[in-house]
Amino acid sequence: MASMVVVQHQTQPSFSTLTSSLSDFNGTRIHSQIQYRRKVLQPKVGLQVTASSEKNILIMGGTRFIGVFLSRLLVKEGHQVTLFTRGKAPIAQQLPGESDEEFAEFSSKILHLKGDRKDYDFVKSSLSAKGFDVVYDINGREADEVEPILDALPNLEQFIYCSSAGVYLKSDLLPHCETDAVDPKSRHKGKLNTESVLESKGVNWTSLRPVYIYGPLNYNPVEEWFFHRLKAGRPIPIPGSGIQVTQLGHVKDLARAFVQVLGNEKASRQVFNISGEKYVTFDGLARACAKAAGFPEPELVHYNPKEFDFGKKKAFPFRDQLRRQSMCSDGNLSLTWWKVLQTHTT
């Protein structure tokens, strides 16, 4: 029988340790820690879903990046998993390091529902016919995209949403806590609006706000940008002083976090920031990429971005914001760990 254990909000919180070597920027093994910081919202209803039971799960998306790894974990746990996509990409693709047997087993179990999530009538009719227990919305961007899903599934047990750490209002005081001010004008405002809709509908929902994600299949040029320049033997231009601090998290760690909120009553109607255990400077990230790929010490060129007109093109893959540590609301210095909810089997 599976029971869910979550670190409670305390002045001196206790920790459970989840060993991981994925979120690593300096060539050494990191022991990711599990920390839970609660949002002030209190659950209005009890979470119905239980982690020990097999569920009929729908993933909105699932063939590009996060969902590829998430779907595999859910299938391995015995859930019936359906991907809702437009069918433009293969439903299953063999991953690096995945054996033929593992891929064949996954391919035989994953299901597909082809459609456009913008076709709200189709979404309502197709989902209501399937009667899914849990929805993972990985590619949702606007609030009006989730309402047809909720309308189609009145008995939905849990809605798990992929939001973004980019929703917060810019601040010099970091790391961000879940209760920090958000920016209603950010480019991720649609995700903020979605969280508001989920709350107003009274469903059991959980929202994860990841920082920059890296790892296999990443379609967003985050770490790839550095490797391309290193391979070409070109200098790495970095805005400002290069001591700006950012955080990243590995896609496999993020997928694990998504699984661990499933069926956890402590995750009901809550928001979680998700990031790697360590922070890194822009300069440090360039050096870490060089070290990881076996390149010599990179040539770093610092520049003032205000002196250049890049137009709409993104000249650097990270937001240029000077960041530093700060005291979080619980009075403990934090680097914003992978704050996930650990499942313990008894």
Side-chain angles (χ1 to χ4, degrees):
M1 179 178 178
S3 61
M4 312 301 291
V5 178
V6 182
V7 178
Q8 298 295 319
H9 182 83
Q10 302 171 355
T11 302
Q12 296 294 333
S14 57
F15 294 96
S16 299
T17 301
L18 174 65
T19 302
S20 170
S21 60
L22 298 176
S23 300
D24 183 359
F25 305 114
N26 61 5
T28 60
R29 178 175 294 271
I30 288 177
H31 297 285
S32 294
Q33 299 214 356
I34 298 160
Q35 181 180 358
Y36 173 80
R37 181 171 293 109
R38 196 175 181 86
K39 194 184 176 189
V40 276
L41 281 173
Q42 296 296 323
K44 297 178 182 177
V45 292
L47 188 62
Q48 302 170 3
V49 63
T50 56
S52 58
S53 59
E54 177 183 328
K55 293 298 172 182
N56 184 9
I57 297 177
L58 173 69
I59 298 180
M60 300 299 291
T63 59
R64 295 188 73 186
F65 190 33
I66 302 171
V68 173
F69 298 94
L70 171 60
S71 58
R72 277 166 168 75
L73 293 179
L74 292 171
V75 167
K76 285 182 179 179
E77 291 205 348
H79 301 292
Q80 179 176 299
V81 180
T82 300
L83 307 183
F84 186 105
T85 78
R86 291 174 293 178
K88 293 186 176 181
I91 298 307
Q93 56 179 309
Q94 190 166 4
L95 299 176
E98 185 177 40
S99 69
D100 293 340
E101 292 77 13
E102 290 173 328
F103 177 63
E105 182 178 3
F106 172 76
S107 300
S108 67
K109 294 180 179 179
I110 195 71
L111 303 176
H112 182 226
L113 183 57
K114 182 179 178 180
D116 186 345
R117 70 177 298 162
K118 296 287 189 179
D119 185 344
Y120 297 152
D121 290 336
F122 175 79
V123 170
K124 289 181 181 180
S125 61
S126 60
L127 269 58
S128 60
K130 300 291 183 180
F132 295 102
D133 302 316
V134 177
V135 172
Y136 279 93
D137 194 349
I138 302 301
N139 62 7
R141 293 185 177 275
E142 301 297 335
D144 58 1
E145 296 173 350
V146 306
E147 296 199 44
I149 300 174
L150 301 179
D151 292 342
L153 302 170
N155 298 318
L156 186 68
E157 297 176 1
Q158 191 175 10
F159 192 104
I160 303 173
Y161 186 62
C162 183
S163 186
S164 171
V167 301
Y168 292 106
L169 195 65
K170 287 186 177 181
S171 173
D172 290 331
L173 298 179
L174 294 169
H176 279 301
C177 298
E178 289 82 349
T179 52
D180 284 354
V182 293
D183 183 3
K185 296 181 180 180
S186 79
R187 69 185 187 92
H188 298 290
K189 62 183 179 181
K191 291 185 177 292
L192 277 177
N193 295 336
T194 299
E195 292 175 350
S196 297
V197 167
L198 292 171
E199 174 63 20
S200 68
K201 293 290 185 178
V203 298
N204 285 311
W205 61 277
T206 304
S207 181
L208 302 189
R209 294 175 177 172
V211 293
Y212 295 104
I213 311 166
Y214 72 101
L217 307 182
N218 192 1
Y219 56 87
N220 187 24
V222 178
E223 73 276 26
E224 178 187 13
W225 184 87
F226 293 92
F227 289 122
H228 278 317
R229 297 195 70 89
L230 289 165
K231 184 177 180 180
R234 303 179 67 185
I236 298 180
I238 295 179
S241 65
I243 64 171
Q244 303 95 315
V245 172
T246 191
Q247 287 176 295
L248 299 91
H250 198 281
V251 63
K252 291 183 179 179
D253 286 335
L254 178 58
R256 188 182 303 119
F258 269 112
V259 172
Q260 289 172 332
V261 299
L262 173 63
N264 193 316
E265 63 179 12
K266 299 295 184 180
S268 180
R269 307 170 80 91
Q270 301 297 322
V271 170
F272 297 94
N273 292 335
I274 303 291
S275 79
E277 180 181 7
K278 292 187 176 182
Y279 59 49
V280 63
T281 64
F282 289 171
D283 282 1
L285 181 56
R287 296 189 183 100
C289 288
K291 182 177 180 180
F295 291 107
E297 182 78 7
E299 179 186 353
L300 307 182
V301 178
H302 298 102
Y303 66 94
N304 183 354
K306 294 182 179 180
E307 296 178 355
F308 298 88
D309 182 8
F310 298 107
K312 294 184 178 180
K313 293 184 178 180
K314 197 173 183 180
F316 191 72
F318 294 88
R319 287 184 291 273
D320 182 17
Q321 181 183 353
L322 182 60
R323 300 190 167 197
R324 58 187 174 87
Q325 288 178 286
S326 68
M327 300 300 289
C328 287
S329 57
D330 62 0
N332 293 284
L333 190 62
S334 170
L335 301 183
T336 317
W337 316 102
W338 273 109
K339 288 174 283 186
V340 295
L341 310 178
Q342 176 68 14
T343 302
H344 296 279
T345 302
T346 57

